[in-house]
Amino acid sequence: MKISKVKLTAVGVPRHTGFVNKHVIVQLETDEGAVGIGEMSDFSHLPRYSVDMKDLEATLDSILIGKNPFDTADINRELDLNFPQALYYYEKGSFIRNGVDTALYDVCSKYLGVSMSDLLGGRQREKFKVCYPIFRHRFMDEVDENIEIVRNRLEQGFDTFRLYVGKNVDADEAFLDRVYSEFAGKVTIKSLDFSHLLDWKDALRATKRLSKYHFELVESPAFWNDFEGLNHFRLQCEFPVSEHVWSPRQQYEMIKKDSVDIFNIAPVFIGGLTAARKAAYAAEVAGKSVLIGTTQELSIGTSAMAHFGSALPHLNYTSDPTGPELYIDDIVTDKIQYENGFLRLPDRKIAGIGVDLDWNKIEKYRVPDLSWGDVSVHQLQDRTSQTRG
């Protein structure tokens, strides 16, 4: 089996906040009729440069056409050379590698007639716990809005939440106080997520201030790649510390400096399922826990992460992939399913990734390119509409 065609399609799907995220659907066609799909998720991230779709498709043609999709190791090495790691959280080369790698696993598992999870080591679980994100408070009046989100999502079965913090700690504290007075015993705050917004000393002060409220862990409480700062924070913090993995070198430094308790692994940030599996194995060897992170993918990317998570023996913290619930729509015929706060895997009898493209919806949300339009930095960071910018 050889790859015969690469097709990329850009879509812009609005979130419930009004912010439009742009993603790229990847299709890899083969000479034996099998077609794999992947998702280059959420290009609407800083830094504000966009990828040229026509050029990217031509580049991937030169790399992939004629290759056996089962040669995932060799293909990933070539992708690494063409889209090198930059030790940066939102490196768009990682998004590109992730979309291609997902499509490789999809086409291979479809060719074999097995679920993608079977190529990733087999299922150890049919579902795993996830949390719903509460985005960062900039203004005190956003507390009421976020409490209403908790109220509505709790009715839908989501009882665990991840709180982005650090921009307005007064509002963060007011929100937590409201949560534990109104939803006592019904809601869990999984983490305070600083998202590298503060240096470790400021993050530690904020964490200590908020520590009278119950939460399970603290995430990204230092500037990115500040491994010593993470270590200082961890030694002085009573809660487990988590950080995303965005390159093997960065993960090595975190292990070497003993900077974290939990590795947050998302294929989109490390460049695909192949790289994510390596990161998970490294975490296991280092005696660290794992949770699955997110950039708020659509159902294709989320389904790939569900398959990945199903095979991990040490997935022992609540994970993050609830992206499909944040958008007003999706581009597949049947969205990935959530049940009582758990992400459910697609039926194991379905070969491949387990979701199918809906071309009517793709045409509805198709965009000509990945350009930015008129958005502010605050909108990019907090995924708000222009009216809140």
Side-chain angles (χ1 to χ4, degrees), residues 108 125 233 235 261 337:
C108 290
R125 56 186 67 84
F233 181 96
L235 291 177
D261 303 285
Q337 294 298 304

Side-chain angles (χ1 to χ4, degrees), residues 143-180:
V143 171
D144 287 337
E145 299 171 13
N146 282 334
I147 289 295
E148 186 62 22
I149 290 173
V150 174
R151 199 175 287 130
N152 293 336
R153 291 297 175 175
L154 183 59
E155 290 180 0
Q156 297 169 12
F158 291 99
D159 61 359
T160 304
F161 296 85
R162 173 168 56 106
L163 177 62
Y164 287 87
V165 296
K167 215 169 234 188
N168 185 332
V169 181
D170 290 338
D172 297 334
E173 184 172 14
F175 172 81
L176 288 168
D177 191 69
R178 288 276 303 278
V179 164
Y180 285 110

Side-chain angles (χ1 to χ4, degrees), residues 129-145:
K129 188 74 172 176
V130 292
C131 61
Y132 194 87
I134 301 297
F135 290 99
R136 212 174 319 275
H137 297 96
R138 290 174 294 152
F139 313 106
M140 190 62 75
D141 64 8
E142 291 175 322
V143 171
D144 287 337
E145 299 171 13

Side-chain angles (χ1 to χ4, degrees), residues 114-386:
V114 300
S115 170
M116 186 187 286
S117 57
D118 292 326
L119 287 190
L120 295 170
R123 296 190 183 189
Q124 300 198 26
R125 56 186 67 84
E126 292 293 330
K127 61 181 181 180
F128 53 86
K129 188 74 172 176
V130 292
C131 61
Y132 194 87
I134 301 297
F135 290 99
R136 212 174 319 275
H137 297 96
R138 290 174 294 152
F139 313 106
M140 190 62 75
D141 64 8
E142 291 175 322
V143 171
D144 287 337
E145 299 171 13
N146 282 334
I147 289 295
E148 186 62 22
I149 290 173
V150 174
R151 199 175 287 130
N152 293 336
R153 291 297 175 175
L154 183 59
E155 290 180 0
Q156 297 169 12
F158 291 99
D159 61 359
T160 304
F161 296 85
R162 173 168 56 106
L163 177 62
Y164 287 87
V165 296
K167 215 169 234 188
N168 185 332
V169 181
D170 290 338
D172 297 334
E173 184 172 14
F175 172 81
L176 288 168
D177 191 69
R178 288 276 303 278
V179 164
Y180 285 110
S181 61
E182 181 172 341
F183 306 105
K186 298 178 182 178
V187 162
T188 298
I189 299 297
K190 185 202 82 169
S191 61
L192 304 184
D193 188 343
F194 286 93
S195 298
H196 317 111
L197 186 69
L198 304 179
D199 70 19
W200 73 268
K201 293 179 182 178
D202 288 336
L204 184 63
R205 281 190 283 269
T207 300
K208 288 182 176 180
R209 175 178 171 180
L210 300 175
S211 64
K212 60 185 175 181
Y213 304 99
H214 175 72
F215 47 89
E216 296 178 353
L217 59 101
V218 180
E219 190 152 273
S220 303
F223 295 142
W224 59 72
N225 297 328
D226 181 7
F227 311 115
E228 292 184 355
L230 269 177
N231 175 260
H232 288 309
F233 181 96
R234 179 173 178 250
L235 291 177
Q236 298 178 59
C237 178
E238 62 183 293
F239 301 95
V241 176
S242 170
E243 182 56 281
H244 297 76
V245 180
W246 51 79
S247 83
R249 177 68 191 186
Q250 174 242 7
Q251 186 180 28
Y252 165 78
E253 292 292 343
M254 288 192 287
I255 293 171
K256 180 180 176 181
K257 298 287 196 304
D258 203 16
S259 298
V260 300
D261 303 285
I262 308 153
F263 284 118
N264 180 319
I265 301 174
V268 66
F269 290 133
I270 197 169
L273 292 165
T274 298
R277 294 176 74 192
K278 292 178 182 178
Y281 298 151
E284 188 173 17
V285 170
K288 303 296 184 181
S289 297
V290 166
L291 65 85
I292 297 176
T294 185
T295 185
Q296 312 308 345
E297 295 81 354
L298 297 170
S299 280
I300 297 172
T302 305
S303 181
M305 290 191 292
H307 288 287
F308 169 60
S310 75
L312 293 181
H314 52 312
L315 182 64
N316 39 23
Y317 280 87
T318 299
S319 291
D320 299 338
T322 49
E325 295 297 303
L326 273 67
Y327 295 97
I328 66 169
D329 207 347
D330 214 307
I331 44 83
V332 296
T333 53
D334 294 297
K335 284 174 59 176
I336 197 81
Q337 294 298 304
Y338 296 89
E339 181 181 88
N340 296 323
F342 284 81
L343 172 59
R344 292 201 62 86
L345 268 78
D347 191 326
R348 195 168 187 173
K349 296 177 183 177
I350 301 174
I353 199 169
V355 293
D356 295 312
L357 299 178
D358 184 329
W359 281 99
N360 289 327
K361 291 187 175 182
I362 291 171
E363 291 303 325
K364 179 179 179 180
Y365 296 110
R366 184 195 288 264
V367 291
D369 54 45
L370 299 174
S371 61
W372 287 97
D374 184 19
V375 295
S376 70
V377 171
H378 287 305
Q379 288 169 251
L380 298 177
Q381 289 176 331
D382 299 326
R383 297 305 201 249
T384 57
S385 66
Q386 289 189 0

